[in-house]
Amino acid sequence: MSVRIHLPSGLVTFMFTDIEGSTRLAQMLGSGYRPVLSEHRRLLRSTLAASDGTELFTEGDSFFIAFADAAAALDACLTAQRALASHEWPTPEATPRVRMGLHTGHAEPLAGEYASAEVHRAARIAAAAHGGQVLCSGATARHAAPLPPGASLLDLGLHRLRGFDDRERLFQLVAPGLERQFPRPRTADAVPHNLPTQVTSFVGRRAERTELDRLVNEHRLVTVVGAGGAGKTRLAVEVAGADVETYPDGIWFVDIAAVTDPGLVAFAIAAVLGLRPEPGRPMSETLVEYAASRRMLLLLDTCDAQPAACAEVIARLLTGGSGVRVLVTSRESLGLPGEVVWRIPPLSVEPGPGGGPSDAIALLLDRTVAARGGRRSTPAESADLERVVARLDGLPLAIELAAARLRVLSASQLAGRLDDVLGALDAGRDEPEQPSEPAPRWIANQHDTVDLAAAALDVAPVAAARAAQRSATQRHVTMQATVTWSYRTLGPRAARLLRWLAVFSGPVDLATVEWLLDDDPLDPLSVLADKSMIQVEPNVSGSTYRMLDPIRAYAARRLVDAGEEQSARDRHVAWSLHALERAYLGPDDRPVTLSLYALDPLADEMRAALRWTATGGSAREGLRLAGGLDQWWRERGLAREGRLWLFRLYGRIAETGERIPEAELAAAYHMHSLHAGADGEFAEELRFSQRAESAARQAGDAGLQARVLAGRAAPLIDMGQLVEAERVCREVIAWAHQNDVSGDALFAVYSLAELLWRRCALDEAAELLGAARPVEAARPTERARRSVDMLLGMVALSRGDLVAAHDHLVVALRSRMGHGFHGRACDTINAIAVRCAWGGDPITAARLFGAAQATRSAMRSTAGMFGQYWLEEQAGLRGVLGDVAFDAAYAEGAELTLEEAAAVALAVDHPDLAAGSIRFSGVEQAAQRSRAGRGSVQTDPAREALDRREHPGS
């Protein structure tokens, strides 16, 4: 007679377990499998004996157990896995890896068993797990409180279980003693994707969904174009989500709005696809190779943030493989061949088929139910709701924000407030801009686009420009009306946070918000997120918070009205200075080799901070910001931008009478001189060089004076006064040595070495540079440029020593590209082109010359000291190749990006690999002695030192 067992009823948690790979384990262990299986059963049953679980069925290596309590079931799984892991098995290979699955649902036992779909769901969850893993359903997760001490549940997302049509959210039990890293669950979801999980339902747009889905299926590139807040992203995600099964290699969402530099677009896409940069290879090539054989859909969101870069990457992806399709959201088309531009319409405000509600009304009704805690609108409110959506022009974001207000207002009250906002608050709040009249000074506002040319002259932007800006803002007047109403419902802390966040130009993390407010921002952040005033963007390193542009513009106006603009923007300037300082320091707060790539993501925030210091803040702080961006401006071809920001800061100083220490003025004037030279303004370069020298002498700082004096030769060189420039360099170097500040005169050493190279005093140049190498290596802001190696490479070229030239130039190019010194990298690529020309590879030489010149032209930078030399070498190369071949290779090189050109240059074979090389032959030393005896070839002291390090026994 069987023993009657008690089976739980009602809300029951079912657990299934089995050994992963049990068949393989049995075959491997043979007769040793039975003891392992028995011990596995003993351990599980001893765990169950201590819990409230009831064993229903055991067959082979599997268990089926029912629990009345979900928390007890999770605790039993944790205890069992720990027992299995800590048990001493015969061999490590004999350890059974048990997978466990849990699901909670309503079930009633009948005749000693359960006949319920909930049992099958639990079995499928267990089948989706991996050995050593515990998975549970969302229902179990909801009923499993409290969790065992130290345990947590990791959300693995939605998955389709085999045999079920709906998707189940799966959770993994995480706790000390359990493995954490597992592959994707074994579910019916064969297609991966990272589409954002939506927390609200998608309403309406049936016709638009059908049309857009047809376009995506028929065309490889579709761009959804529309104004901000029109619902482009939500519709694109909805359409993509319905096509998940169509793309076996996945659907991948990339937010381009978070990309702060055009060069990072390819990296952002690669990061989503799980690709890493490959040394010496452009990321775009890695992307194209990965996508070439795959069938997938890329959803690139907000491409208008980086239109040119997005267009370039998309074009390469589409031409690299036929299985890739791209769905883009943007405020403008990309202008690519084959692009289908589809403009998203506003939600319809006309009655639906059969007299039903319009899409706009349906969205407002749906969101109102949520806002009112499940209470639906009454028929009496219909007319007022129609007034609301009509005033909001059917824009989804505006409707979403308006629905949140219906939590505390009736539809008629909301409609009345929107009328007041449009007619009195927004439209009449700012007085119309009067025709321009002479004024003592221009007061800029944060809605003005930076007009550097006008700013340099300390005048207001032209009326047409400001009118254009104003009309662009008025396109969202209904949106701003909604934001105004939403702002009225915020508490004091949330309203203040919204205003202060307006000073940032891009997304911010929690630490930045804490620093900005000097207070715990979690509560007001939550309020703003709940009210859709900010966008929360979760990622691995922590959530970031982003304001939509219309909301940011509105918040900036409120910041002024509240009298807080000075404090908030000064705080932003202080944050910008701190962020800039951190770019120059390592984790231990010690200076590190400067990488300009660290400054690229900060550029927009730095410009916003500079804009404030030049219009309403401290010009002294602005000069500090400019000093931190000095090399970045020049190496990115933005010397003119740097000059114009400095002009604006000088105007601010004259306007306010702010006292600037002479040392800081000297540094600014010196920086300005360098920017003017890089921009080809040689008279301006000389003028500010003289101002810098005068201020530095008054400051009395020997190191500063040496740096400024070292720059005195630059304008002389640019104006062709080479003899005088050499005399100045020697005087500065001697003066710096006498005052024990030789390191600060390094620029003069470089200039003197260039002059010596130019007049073929190669021995002296090499000796000078050899002595400068340790000085350069000791200066974090200098060493990444590898100027010593670059100049030694030029000296070696003049000597005809291709081995030494190649070694020095490759070192210089790797460092310059690796640390973002793009302007200087162009010089090195030109030098390697000369090395190729002399090494018998004229086609590569012409390609590199074309690539370097194309980059310089794009950066609008001058060729500097070596410009004439490059032209002479190109003329000689043209004579060797002929016009047709040279022009073809040159044009081919001009199509390369800087990264591609650097890769070509670094791929050039070492001269030692050339036929006839004797560098490693047994007669090398004798040949060197013979040549030295004849005095026919000059040697390179730096190269000889390198040889001694490589061959200490020679």
Side-chain angles (χ1 to χ4, degrees):
M1 180 176 180
S2 61
V3 179
R4 178 179 296 275
I5 59 174
H6 173 71
L7 296 179
S9 62
L11 196 62
V12 182
T13 298
F14 299 105
M15 178 177 85
F16 281 88
T17 81
D18 67 359
I19 298 176
E20 182 182 45
S22 57
T23 302
R24 185 177 64 254
L25 185 64
Q27 291 173 343
M28 180 184 71
L29 296 180
S31 60
Y33 178 64
R34 182 173 295 277
V36 169
L37 180 62
S38 298
E39 193 64 9
H40 150 260
R41 291 174 176 171
R42 185 189 67 80
L43 290 172
L44 287 184
R45 287 191 172 117
S46 65
T47 300
L48 295 175
S51 68
D52 293 329
T54 301
E55 181 180 341
L56 285 95
F57 182 76
T58 301
E59 181 180 29
D61 60 297
S62 64
F63 277 79
F64 174 30
I65 304 157
F67 291 84
D69 180 63
L74 269 177
D75 187 67
C77 288
L78 175 57
T79 304
Q81 289 287 14
R82 285 173 172 170
L84 290 166
S86 61
H87 186 73
E88 292 188 7
W89 300 96
T91 65
E93 294 77 14
T95 303
R97 295 178 56 79
V98 178
R99 54 184 181 176
M100 302 179 179
L102 300 167
H103 173 62
T104 302
H106 286 276
E108 297 293 337
L110 181 63
E113 61 180 0
Y114 293 95
S116 169
E118 308 296 354
V119 174
H120 295 277
R121 189 177 293 269
R124 294 305 186 190
I125 292 174
H130 299 271
Q133 187 178 34
V134 179
L135 294 183
C136 71
S137 66
T140 301
R142 287 192 298 272
H143 294 93
L147 293 175
S152 62
L153 292 175
L154 177 64
D155 188 347
L156 301 181
L158 293 171
H159 295 266
R160 179 172 291 131
L161 301 174
R162 299 185 189 279
F164 289 86
D165 294 332
D166 61 337
R167 293 178 182 271
E168 179 69 52
R169 184 170 296 278
L170 298 182
F171 293 83
Q172 175 185 323
L173 179 62
V174 177
L178 268 61
E179 292 184 50
R180 181 183 178 92
Q181 300 298 327
F182 295 96
R184 284 176 54 84
R186 296 186 179 99
T187 60
D189 294 297
V191 180
H193 70 84
N194 72 330
L195 294 174
T197 301
Q198 307 297 333
V199 297
T200 57
S201 59
F202 187 86
V203 177
R205 290 204 184 277
R206 178 176 298 178
E208 290 94 331
R209 277 188 288 176
T210 301
E211 182 180 1
L212 183 57
D213 185 62
R214 178 183 60 80
L215 292 175
V216 172
N217 289 325
E218 294 178 357
H219 303 275
R220 295 186 62 203
L221 173 59
V222 178
T223 300
V224 181
V225 175
K232 303 184 294 294
T233 300
R234 186 65 190 271
L235 177 61
V237 169
E238 188 71 15
V239 169
D243 288 341
V244 166
E245 304 296 339
T246 306
Y247 298 95
D249 293 304
I251 296 179
W252 303 103
F253 178 90
V254 186
D255 184 7
I256 303 298
V259 180
T260 58
D261 183 89
L264 299 178
V265 169
F267 286 85
I269 299 173
V272 168
L273 296 176
L275 303 179
R276 293 181 178 273
E278 300 178 39
R281 188 184 192 192
M283 179 54 76
S284 57
E285 288 188 7
T286 303
L287 274 176
V288 171
E289 179 181 335
Y290 174 84
S293 61
R294 286 172 165 80
R295 186 180 176 191
M296 63 183 183
L297 175 67
L298 287 177
L299 202 173
L300 304 185
D301 188 39
T302 322
C303 283
D304 49 285
Q306 302 290 350
C310 287
E312 179 181 355
V313 173
I314 291 170
R316 298 198 63 179
L317 285 169
L318 293 178
T319 56
S322 61
V324 178
R325 293 178 184 265
V326 182
L327 177 58
V328 169
T329 70
S330 178
R331 296 188 185 187
E332 59 186 35
S333 65
L334 299 177
L336 289 173
E339 177 187 19
V340 175
V341 179
W342 186 79
R343 188 169 297 278
I344 185 171
L347 287 172
S348 172
V349 296
E350 300 298 325
S358 66
D359 282 353
I361 287 291
L363 177 62
L364 185 58
L365 289 172
D366 181 85
R367 300 300 188 257
T368 300
V369 171
R372 291 177 171 175
R375 183 168 56 87
R376 298 182 179 277
S377 300
T378 63
E381 294 180 299
S382 298
D384 291 319
L385 291 176
E386 290 177 0
R387 287 173 55 199
V388 169
V389 298
R391 288 293 185 181
L392 298 178
D393 291 332
L395 291 174
L397 178 59
I399 293 173
E400 297 266 4
L401 294 170
R405 306 287 70 81
L406 291 173
R407 181 184 299 112
V408 293
L409 294 178
S410 67
S412 62
Q413 288 174 320
L414 175 60
R417 285 177 177 268
L418 288 176
D419 284 340
D420 178 62
V421 167
L422 291 172
L425 183 58
D426 265 4
R429 183 171 180 79
D430 293 327
E431 292 294 327
E433 188 167 312
Q434 300 298 323
S436 57
E437 298 178 358
R441 61 185 285 264
W442 166 52
I443 305 297
N445 65 66
Q446 294 298 314
H447 302 287
D448 287 322
T449 301
V450 178
D451 185 341
L452 291 174
L457 302 175
D458 196 28
V459 299
V462 296
R466 300 191 73 170
Q469 297 157 18
R470 194 166 56 251
S471 64
T473 302
Q474 289 172 348
R475 289 190 297 116
H476 298 294
V477 64
T478 53
M479 182 92 68
Q480 293 197 28
T482 307
V483 176
T484 299
W485 189 93
S486 300
Y487 179 83
R488 287 181 172 180
T489 67
L490 296 177
R493 294 184 67 206
R496 179 174 179 264
L497 176 57
L498 183 74
R499 296 192 299 268
W500 281 54
L501 283 177
V503 302
F504 286 94
S505 65
V508 296
D509 57 19
L510 183 62
T512 299
V513 179
E514 290 173 340
W515 194 93
L516 178 71
L517 293 182
D518 197 20
D519 187 15
D520 182 6
L522 192 56
D523 286 344
L525 266 178
S526 300
V527 170
L528 294 180
D530 291 343
K531 294 178 178 293
S532 302
M533 304 294 283
I534 61 172
Q535 306 296 305
V536 182
E537 300 173 338
N539 53 63
V540 175
S541 59
S543 296
T544 57
Y545 310 96
R546 179 165 64 100
M547 296 175 66
L548 296 173
D549 288 341
I551 298 178
R552 179 183 292 109
Y554 179 86
R557 291 183 177 180
R558 286 293 191 178
L559 188 69
V560 175
D561 294 342
E564 299 170 335
E565 184 177 35
Q566 184 80 42
S567 299
R569 295 200 181 278
D570 284 349
R571 190 75 171 160
H572 179 251
V573 169
W575 176 88
S576 301
L577 285 168
H578 175 73
L580 204 54
E581 179 184 354
R582 296 304 312 170
Y584 286 76
L585 301 176
D588 58 355
D589 292 332
R590 298 178 63 184
V592 294
T593 302
L594 174 62
S595 173
L596 298 185
Y597 293 126
L599 302 183
D600 288 333
L602 299 175
D604 288 341
E605 294 298 345
M606 297 303 110
R607 289 184 176 115
L610 278 168
R611 186 181 306 123
W612 172 248
T613 61
T615 57
S618 165
R620 184 180 182 185
E621 300 296 283
L623 292 178
R624 289 180 60 197
L625 287 168
L629 293 172
D630 175 25
Q631 295 194 68
W632 183 84
W633 272 325
R634 282 182 280 133
E635 294 297 323
R636 293 294 180 269
L638 299 173
R640 182 172 183 268
E641 177 182 334
R643 288 171 50 226
L644 295 178
W645 277 119
L646 288 170
F647 276 130
R648 293 186 67 179
L649 292 170
Y650 302 151
R652 177 68 177 168
I653 293 169
E655 173 188 311
T656 62
E658 184 178 6
R659 185 184 179 282
I660 310 296
E662 292 295 333
E664 296 176 23
L665 277 178
Y669 292 150
H670 175 57
M671 172 174 51
H672 194 138
S673 175
L674 297 176
H675 286 312
D679 207 26
E681 297 292 338
F682 301 137
E684 183 180 315
E685 178 187 21
L686 178 61
R687 183 168 70 255
F688 278 93
S689 176
Q690 292 168 343
R691 291 184 184 179
E693 187 174 336
S694 175
R697 293 187 188 282
Q698 294 183 47
D701 183 330
L704 172 64
Q705 192 169 341
R707 292 192 297 275
V708 169
L709 292 174
R712 189 200 296 176
L716 298 175
I717 293 173
D718 289 334
M719 291 186 293
Q721 300 178 28
L722 304 185
V723 174
E724 177 64 14
E726 183 173 336
R727 183 190 64 79
V728 167
C729 286
R730 294 185 185 278
E731 287 182 355
V732 171
I733 293 171
W735 183 89
H737 181 71
Q738 292 172 2
N739 289 272
D740 198 25
V741 288
S742 296
D744 291 295
L746 198 54
F747 188 75
V749 174
Y750 298 152
S751 298
L752 179 57
E754 292 175 4
L755 292 165
L756 293 171
W757 167 84
R758 183 162 182 154
R759 64 178 180 83
C760 294
L762 303 182
D763 283 345
E764 185 180 358
E767 183 178 354
L768 181 69
L769 292 167
R773 183 185 291 280
V775 179
E776 179 187 66
R779 298 178 71 84
T781 58
E782 304 282 347
R783 56 186 175 225
R785 299 186 305 203
R786 289 283 189 161
S787 298
V788 169
D789 276 300
M790 172 66 192
L791 293 170
L792 283 173
M794 296 299 294
V795 169
L797 282 176
S798 294
R799 288 172 165 168
D801 185 352
L802 296 189
V803 172
H806 185 96
D807 289 343
H808 287 305
L809 294 175
V810 164
V811 168
L813 182 58
R814 287 189 189 281
S815 183
R816 291 178 171 191
M817 288 300 299
H819 293 86
F821 288 85
H822 293 167
R824 294 174 188 272
C826 289
D827 277 336
T828 314
I829 290 173
N830 274 324
I832 293 179
V834 176
R835 171 257 174 276
C836 290
W838 291 10
D841 189 358
I843 295 296
T844 299
R847 291 178 66 206
L848 292 177
F849 275 132
Q853 182 55 42
T855 299
R856 279 214 176 274
S857 298
M859 295 171 62
R860 301 183 301 277
S861 60
T862 59
M865 166 74 81
F866 303 115
Q868 185 60 37
Y869 178 69
W870 309 140
L871 293 176
E872 292 171 358
E873 291 297 324
Q874 289 175 39
L877 192 60
R878 182 182 291 274
V880 172
L881 289 173
D883 289 345
V884 175
F886 176 86
D887 289 341
Y890 192 93
E892 182 182 350
E895 296 298 321
L896 299 176
T897 64
L898 179 61
E899 292 76 12
E900 291 168 338
V904 171
L906 293 173
V908 172
D909 284 341
H910 195 283
D912 287 335
L913 301 178
S917 173
I918 62 170
R919 176 163 170 71
F920 297 113
S921 70
V923 299
E924 178 185 9
Q925 295 180 1
Q928 288 179 341
R929 287 194 295 269
S930 174
R931 289 194 297 271
R934 293 195 304 271
S936 59
V937 178
Q938 295 172 306
T939 60
D940 181 354
R943 184 68 220 176
E944 290 176 350
L946 180 61
D947 290 342
R948 287 194 295 270
R949 290 197 300 272
E950 293 177 347
H951 310 288
S954 62

